[in-house]
Amino acid sequence: MTDLNGKTAVITGASRGIGAAVARMLHERGCNLGLASRSGDDLGLERAVARPCDVRDLDAIVDLCDATAERFGGIDIVVPNAGVGAYGPFLDLSREHLDEMLDVNLKGTVYAIRATLPHMLGREGDVVTLASEAGRRGLPYEAVYCASKFGQVGLTRALDHELREQGIRCTNVCPGGVATDFALEEGRGRTRDALAGMMSAEDVAEVVVFALERPRHLRILETALRPASEASWG
Ligand code: NAP
């Protein structure tokens, strides 16, 4: 097992949902944290650098990563997790929704890795990207969301080839439905009733931590996980 105590992790989209669950679990294991979200919530965690940071702004994410590395002496882990979703027929999606999904989910992931990697090189590092089942299969009424998630998966797979020999592992985590605020009002449903039977944010966070805790001689490239109530689509 890899001991995470004393490692430093940057998590984007850390203010709630899956990102907050990952942050809390890593903090319990002794990690130092850099937490990025627009609200800048530090979740009340003691060993954390947190500030308002929109992942669409490369300068803002670089500043947060630099401050995190300065306080804790480097960065070992990045979890690009910030994401938004809007579902519906392709032509019905607004221009704002198109841009937001591509910019936050895909560009925000590129930016988070780009900002953390200089602080990771020369150490044993991990990139654990919160992608989705929508990054593995084309799903109707989720075309642009799928495009952003396939992009994340491709980016992380390509970086695995590029960074493996430098001791950096790259993992895609691809959940099905998770009961968070994600996409409420934006196609998933208007109330939290739409989330019945889905996995919890903690279920997904445990998979992230599992990947990080594997011994360094192995790496998990991709995990797909679903609630029992959800089909596997072949
Ligand atoms: P969530 O509860 O809605 O949380 C999203 C997080 O992203 C929040 O912390 C939000 O914080 C942050 N965020 C949104 N836009 C941002 C921006 N421009 N800059 C910085 N932070 C931003 O969603 P979630 O369910 O935890 O989703 C996390 C990830 O898992 C996403 O990438 C999503 O695509 C993926 N995923 C979710 C599900 C699901 O069913 N929920 C399934 C598969 C994959 P602020 O509002 O404070 O900025």
Side-chain angles (χ1 to χ4, degrees), residues 4-148:
L4 299 180
N5 187 35
K7 300 224 180 240
T8 298
V10 168
I11 302 158
T12 69
S15 61
R16 57 177 193 272
I18 297 167
V22 171
R24 291 195 178 99
M25 254 177 227
L26 290 181
H27 196 262
E28 272 169 23
R29 280 165 171 74
C31 286
N32 311 306
L33 302 173
L35 303 178
S37 65
R38 289 165 303 176
S39 55
D41 198 334
D42 68 1
L43 306 173
L45 299 175
E46 183 198 336
R47 296 179 312 280
V49 172
R51 57 177 62 167
C53 172
D54 191 315
V55 294
R56 292 169 289 190
D57 179 349
L58 180 59
D59 293 337
I61 184 90
V62 165
D63 283 351
L64 175 84
C65 294
D66 289 353
T68 303
E70 192 175 335
R71 175 160 165 203
F72 299 118
I75 295 173
D76 306 286
I77 297 163
V78 60
V79 183
N81 162 78
V84 294
Y87 305 146
F90 180 63
L91 287 178
D92 289 356
L93 290 175
S94 67
R95 166 79 189 268
E96 288 69 29
H97 280 143
L98 301 183
D99 288 346
E100 196 184 12
M101 280 187 279
L102 295 170
D103 289 349
V104 175
N105 301 358
L106 182 50
K107 232 178 184 183
T109 299
V110 175
Y111 285 175
I113 298 171
R114 190 177 161 129
T116 45
L117 200 53
H119 300 291
M120 234 186 245
L121 293 172
R123 307 157 73 99
E124 291 178 329
D126 282 276
V127 176
V128 183
T129 301
L130 246 300
S132 172
E133 175 62 14
R136 304 175 71 243
R137 298 188 199 288
L139 302 172
Y141 309 113
E142 298 188 24
V144 177
Y145 181 67
C146 282
S148 71

